[in-house]
Amino acid sequence: MRQTLIFGLFFISNLFFSQQTDSLEVSITNPDLQDSIVVNPKNSIGRQLVVDGKQIFNNIAHSYASPFSWKKDNWVDVGGVALGTVLLYSVDHDTSKYFMDQREKVPSVVRKFGDYFGGPQNNYGITSLVYLTGLFTKNDKIRDTGVLMISSATTAGLIQTLSKTLVGRARPGTGEGKFHFKPFSGEPAYRSFPSGHTVLVATTMFSLAKQFSNPWVKAGIYTIGAITPLSRVWDGAHFFSDVFLSAAISYFVVEGTYKYMNKNQVKKEGKNKIAWRLSMSPNMLGLNGVF
């Protein structure tokens, strides 16, 4: 199943992402009977790894620092998520019982896929595959998507790990109810809030959906991504409020990181972009840098 999933992701990433030009970008013009070749050299793989490593670090740092610069609309969003979590918390007993009762009606392959897809080692394997595909094929769009996935998963993952330890909420499967908490216990039975599987899958799928404008493609990505949080509720590993908050955290982390990366890219292109032009004519040969 692991080999099939990895091959499928590799195939989809290469099928849907448009390939960018290789390390040499050529355009022919003819001003004043002169031919001009535009050359945009790319980083070596080693250099690109260093650049992307710095970008991932900056993305994570920016995500943690961003609450200090939030505006009114941002706090309204936070309030809406908090209210939604509280409302779902109030009916956690009923929703948990309902979903757990549906467990045997769901095909086992679907449940297993949800658990497998959200496993840390598997999810990071997938995001790393996306990044490495873009790195070695020199496809900036795929590589940037991998950077977004890794940055977002790491940022949200650390938040959920600390929250699990701090809150110590009992899982539904323990039978102790939604009001039972045991902070800092470190026991797996008291790590329900929030859902780590949901955080990892949600950051991956939100990041992937960002690359498509077609609503049907987005819907397909979200549908696949929804299997993991639902499987966690079916299995009694989390309450519905747990997976809701986890998905919300992932969404806002991906949104913030995506905007930050785009903003930096615009600044970089505006300040540092140099197009090297090799100009040729019957009596002249020259290389000019245009910026």
Side-chain angles (χ1 to χ4, degrees):
M1 184 174 181
R2 177 177 300 181
Q3 290 83 354
T4 302
L5 183 59
I6 291 177
F7 175 78
L9 182 70
F10 180 82
F11 176 77
I12 292 172
S13 64
N14 281 279
L15 177 64
F16 285 106
F17 289 125
S18 58
Q19 293 292 328
Q20 295 180 333
T21 56
D22 222 341
S23 59
L24 183 64
E25 195 173 277
V26 180
S27 65
I28 304 297
T29 59
N30 192 26
D32 300 327
L33 300 179
Q34 294 183 6
D35 291 330
S36 178
I37 301 177
V38 181
V39 181
N40 289 330
K42 288 196 174 186
N43 288 331
S44 66
I45 290 177
R47 173 59 181 166
Q48 192 63 59
L49 277 170
V50 174
V51 171
D52 291 339
K54 291 180 179 179
Q55 180 67 65
I56 290 172
F57 177 83
N58 290 336
N59 290 345
I60 296 171
H62 173 266
S63 294
Y64 290 138
S66 60
F68 296 104
S69 60
W70 280 354
K71 298 180 181 179
K72 182 179 178 180
D73 290 346
N74 301 119
W75 289 109
V76 169
D77 291 336
V78 171
V81 171
L83 178 60
T85 303
V86 170
L87 292 175
L88 290 174
Y89 181 88
S90 67
V91 294
D92 262 342
H93 175 76
D94 296 329
T95 54
S96 178
K97 184 178 183 303
Y98 171 79
F99 278 104
M100 290 175 68
D101 288 343
Q102 309 307 310
R103 183 178 185 276
E104 298 305 320
K105 300 177 183 178
V106 180
S108 62
V109 66
V110 175
R111 299 199 312 269
K112 289 179 180 178
F113 170 80
D115 181 63
Y116 177 86
F117 191 25
Q121 69 278 13
N122 302 320
N123 193 269
Y124 268 105
I126 292 170
T127 56
S128 297
L129 176 63
V130 172
Y131 172 74
L132 292 174
T133 298
L135 178 67
F136 286 105
T137 62
K138 297 186 181 297
N139 187 308
D140 290 340
K141 189 171 184 180
I142 298 178
R143 183 179 52 75
D144 285 343
T145 301
V147 170
L148 176 61
M149 287 178 173
I150 295 171
S151 302
S152 301
T154 303
T155 301
L158 289 174
I159 293 173
Q160 68 86 22
T161 298
L162 293 174
S163 299
K164 279 177 179 289
T165 303
L166 178 63
V167 177
R169 189 183 191 188
R171 297 184 186 273
T174 64
E176 295 182 334
K178 65 181 183 180
F179 295 110
H180 196 89
F181 297 87
K182 199 174 179 180
F184 303 104
S185 72
E187 300 175 41
Y190 299 94
R191 295 177 65 83
S192 179
F193 185 84
S195 167
H197 280 62
T198 301
V199 161
L200 292 179
V201 170
T203 53
T204 297
M205 304 314 271
F206 283 138
S207 298
L208 187 60
K210 278 288 184 185
Q211 314 310 316
F212 300 93
S213 58
N214 189 309
W216 292 105
V217 175
K218 287 180 177 289
I221 292 172
Y222 294 144
T223 299
I224 296 173
I227 295 175
T228 291
L230 288 175
S231 71
R232 303 303 284 165
V233 182
W234 286 325
D235 290 339
H238 294 284
F239 291 98
F240 196 74
S241 60
D242 299 335
V243 299
F244 168 78
L245 181 62
S246 302
I249 291 173
S250 299
Y251 172 79
F252 288 115
V253 167
V254 171
E255 280 290 312
T257 304
Y258 181 77
K259 291 177 180 178
Y260 176 70
M261 288 180 63
N262 280 351
K263 184 178 179 180
N264 281 354
Q265 185 64 28
V266 170
K267 287 183 178 179
K268 188 183 299 181
E269 290 178 353
K271 290 183 179 181
N272 302 323
K273 187 173 181 179
I274 300 178
W276 294 99
R277 296 182 179 273
L278 181 64
S279 301
M280 295 177 290
S281 68
N283 59 354
M284 184 183 73
L285 176 64
L287 182 66
N288 300 316
V290 180
F291 55 91

